[in-house]
Amino acid sequence: MSSIRLADVTFAYPQQNCLIDACTLDLPPGWTGIVGRNGAGKSTLLDLIDGTIEPSTGRVDRGGLSLVRCRQSTTTADTVADFATSWSSAALRWMSLLELEPEDYWRWDTLSPGTRRRWQIGAALAGDPGALLLDEPTNHLDQHGCRLLLGALRRFRGVGLIVSHDRALLDGLCQRTVRIHRGAVRTFIGGYAEARGQWLAEEAEALAALEATQSDARALQAQLTARSTRHDSAKRSLSTRSRMTSVRDSDARSTAAKGRAERAELTLGREKAVARAQLERVRGALEAMARPEASASPILVDAARAGREIVLRFEGPLEVAGRVLAPMVHLHLRRDERLWLQGANGSGKTSLIGAALAQSDLPDDRVLFIAQELSADSARAAFEALDADGRHGALQIGAALRLDARAVVDGTALSPGELRKLTIAAGLVRQPWLIVLDEPTNDLDLDSVERLEAALSDYPGALLLVTHDAAFAGRLRATAWTPFNEPEQSTARA
């Protein structure tokens, strides 16, 4: 089967630094994960591969393969219409694998984002493409949906490319990992965990080599300084000796002493020249060595516990559009409690969050709610609502999440991941008593997910979490809680 090949591909947007630099890749059949920080160029690489944009230099060879791409948005049903109304054996097989009911297509507007995502990917698989490009496919999916998706994608035999922050999916599916970092594109063997171990080992080795070379440079500089001092002293001594010969000295003794001084001065001069040459070689080596990226500052969440014991309460039935999602829910979230709200797509998790927050009497500036879907306007508004000190603090938190402060200040269009970072930063700087997170890792790069985990693990307030990322919930020490009965096939947004 054909591969997709990129030969010396370079791409830069107008007025910006090179995003993809001299990229050469061979993408054979099987799954390849694409990872990198927000804004590193992951989606741009997919754009180059599917022909949405053309490279500035180089060539993309698609091997005559038919390509299908599933983007992050699940708002339109256009891509699944033929699939949903097909009675072919292939379509029915993928519906079965992904647990999709044909009649649900006609209720598209009321389907949960996770159910829509399964429909979207099922339609792509049913088309039997030669290459399938997926952008954050597990966004909005519950754990059961993630397992269904993983099982389905393992049956795909073409060239598969997947941009994802989902560590479990990358490790369970991918044979190769492509990392985009500071313009360089490299392939590592294995899933995310294995690949990450490889590049961290390389970076540690490079840092050790850099530090050793810097140490050599300091030692040679000290050696050169000492030899220069001795050489200068010898030159002064020789000059003084020439001017101050004693009348009692014989010509032979003066000549011998002067000769010894001259030889010493020449020897020290040669040693000084050797030391200078060695130092120049080491400095040249240092110039050629890549500098490791500066470590981001830790994210410090400066928050206090609320002055009341219960910070979020909901009592009663949970209903959406006349449909009872849960006959009775008892939510009493204490000020230092961490709950991981679980349930299938469509069971009512987001609805319960909305209902509980609507009844909350906590001050607005003491509640941080991060929704599944974020708009550029809402993210910018949250930042602009802060005073000068608050904006400065938010930019510091954003920098710790690798958010470019210049892009925020200049009003540059931000990616979905960057908008999420800005919203998180603007909320954390307000020192909230209660943090409510609905799929907070959506759109975040893996480095930022890990840094957010570290920050929230020490958060002293109350936390209500909805996530399909069990590792994320585990690191936050959140207690699993399922307030819903077994849901019917998803028909409500949750």
Side-chain angles (χ1 to χ4, degrees):
M1 185 176 288
S2 297
S3 297
I4 295 175
R5 294 182 173 87
L6 286 74
D8 203 26
V9 168
T10 298
F11 181 81
Y13 290 104
Q15 312 302 320
Q16 293 186 13
N17 293 331
C18 189
L19 198 59
I20 303 293
D21 187 15
C23 168
T24 295
L25 286 178
D26 185 2
L27 301 168
W31 284 100
T32 299
I34 300 175
V35 300
R37 291 184 181 146
N38 293 127
K42 301 185 297 295
S43 294
T44 298
L45 182 60
L46 294 188
D47 288 340
L48 289 164
I49 290 171
D50 74 5
T52 300
I53 57 177
E54 293 296 324
S56 305
T57 63
R59 180 172 54 87
V60 179
D61 179 4
R62 300 175 183 86
L65 296 172
S66 59
L67 275 70
V68 171
R69 181 172 176 182
C70 291
R71 298 180 182 272
Q72 294 188 39
S73 173
T74 62
T75 57
T76 177
D78 295 343
T79 59
V80 303
D82 292 341
F83 172 55
T85 56
S86 173
W87 290 94
S88 70
S89 59
L92 293 175
R93 182 175 70 254
W94 290 115
M95 287 185 196
S96 176
L97 287 168
L98 291 167
E99 295 186 3
L100 300 171
E101 295 294 335
E103 60 269 21
D104 279 355
Y105 167 72
W106 306 107
R107 298 193 295 272
W108 183 267
D109 290 341
T110 64
L111 295 179
S112 70
T115 304
R116 293 181 188 179
R117 176 68 75 190
R118 283 187 281 133
W119 272 103
Q120 180 189 47
I121 296 174
L125 289 167
D128 194 25
L132 179 57
L133 285 58
L134 303 180
D135 202 344
E136 298 292 359
T138 58
N139 274 6
H140 312 297
L141 287 183
D142 56 31
Q143 290 180 289
H144 180 61
C146 288
R147 287 192 294 270
L148 292 176
L149 180 63
L150 179 60
L153 295 181
R154 283 174 173 165
R155 293 171 177 263
F156 179 66
R157 294 294 176 260
V159 176
L161 304 178
I162 182 168
V163 171
S164 180
H165 68 271
D166 190 321
R167 292 162 285 192
L169 180 69
L170 293 171
D171 285 332
L173 185 64
C174 296
Q175 296 89 43
R176 292 163 301 279
T177 298
V178 168
R179 185 194 189 203
I180 306 176
H181 184 60
R182 301 167 81 175
V185 182
R186 284 195 56 198
T187 301
F188 296 85
I189 301 301
Y192 173 73
E194 186 177 353
R196 182 174 183 269
Q198 294 175 54
W199 75 63
L200 287 179
E202 289 181 1
E203 289 172 358
E205 184 178 342
L207 178 60
L210 177 65
E211 291 174 343
T213 306
Q214 289 172 331
S215 178
D216 289 345
R218 289 191 294 269
L220 286 170
Q221 180 63 66
Q223 189 180 94
L224 176 61
T225 300
R227 288 181 177 179
S228 295
T229 300
R230 290 199 298 272
H231 182 236
D232 292 343
S233 177
K235 288 172 66 177
R236 288 193 300 271
S237 176
L238 179 60
S239 176
T240 301
R241 188 177 296 277
S242 297
R243 296 194 308 269
M244 300 180 62
T245 301
S246 171
V247 295
R248 293 186 292 273
D249 287 343
S250 67
D251 289 343
R253 290 176 59 190
S254 295
T255 300
K258 184 177 180 180
R260 288 193 297 273
E262 288 176 342
R263 288 193 297 274
E265 190 271 335
L266 288 172
T267 298
L268 289 169
R270 286 194 296 270
E271 291 177 350
K272 176 182 173 182
V274 169
R276 178 177 285 113
Q278 290 175 328
L279 179 59
E280 291 304 317
R281 284 196 297 272
V282 171
R283 283 176 172 170
L286 275 175
E287 288 296 322
M289 297 177 80
R291 293 298 189 272
E293 191 173 28
S295 299
S297 302
I299 304 172
L300 302 177
V301 182
D302 185 13
R305 293 195 307 170
R308 64 181 72 175
E309 180 65 21
I310 302 299
V311 295
L312 192 64
R313 183 192 307 270
F314 182 84
E315 289 275 358
L318 180 64
E319 298 183 11
V320 173
R323 177 175 174 237
V324 177
L325 300 180
M328 182 58 65
V329 176
H330 302 278
L331 170 60
H332 295 172
L333 184 66
R334 296 189 298 274
R335 61 188 176 188
D336 58 356
E337 190 173 12
R338 296 162 176 252
L339 285 182
W340 176 18
L341 178 56
Q342 294 185 318
N345 288 133
S347 60
K349 301 185 296 296
T350 296
S351 299
L352 176 56
I353 286 174
L357 288 176
Q359 294 184 7
S360 171
D361 61 352
L362 289 180
D364 290 342
D365 62 350
R366 291 298 189 179
V367 179
L368 170 57
F369 171 50
I370 305 293
Q372 285 191 45
E373 304 285 353
L374 298 173
S375 70
D377 289 343
S378 66
R380 291 281 184 183
F383 177 74
E384 295 297 336
L386 300 170
D387 60 21
D389 289 340
R391 288 194 293 271
H392 178 71
L395 290 177
Q396 287 184 316
I397 295 174
L401 287 169
R402 305 289 190 185
L403 175 64
D404 186 353
R406 291 172 299 179
V408 176
V409 174
D410 295 344
T412 303
L414 302 178
S415 70
E418 290 168 326
L419 290 173
R420 190 165 293 274
K421 292 177 183 181
L422 180 60
T423 306
I424 290 171
L428 290 180
V429 79
R430 293 189 283 106
Q431 303 180 14
W433 293 340
L434 167 64
I435 296 179
V436 181
L437 304 174
D438 195 353
E439 298 294 356
T441 60
N442 281 359
D443 308 313
L444 287 184
D445 58 74
L446 287 162
D447 179 65
S448 298
V449 170
E450 290 162 0
R451 296 184 62 74
L452 184 61
E453 286 173 350
L456 294 182
S457 65
D458 295 326
Y459 170 66
L463 179 68
L464 183 59
L465 174 67
V466 173
T467 182
H468 73 265
D469 189 337
F472 184 79
R475 289 184 178 92
L476 298 189
R477 305 184 306 280
T479 301
W481 178 52
T482 306
F484 310 106
N485 296 325
E486 282 296 316
E488 302 170 10
Q489 182 65 31
S490 303
T491 56
R493 189 178 185 86

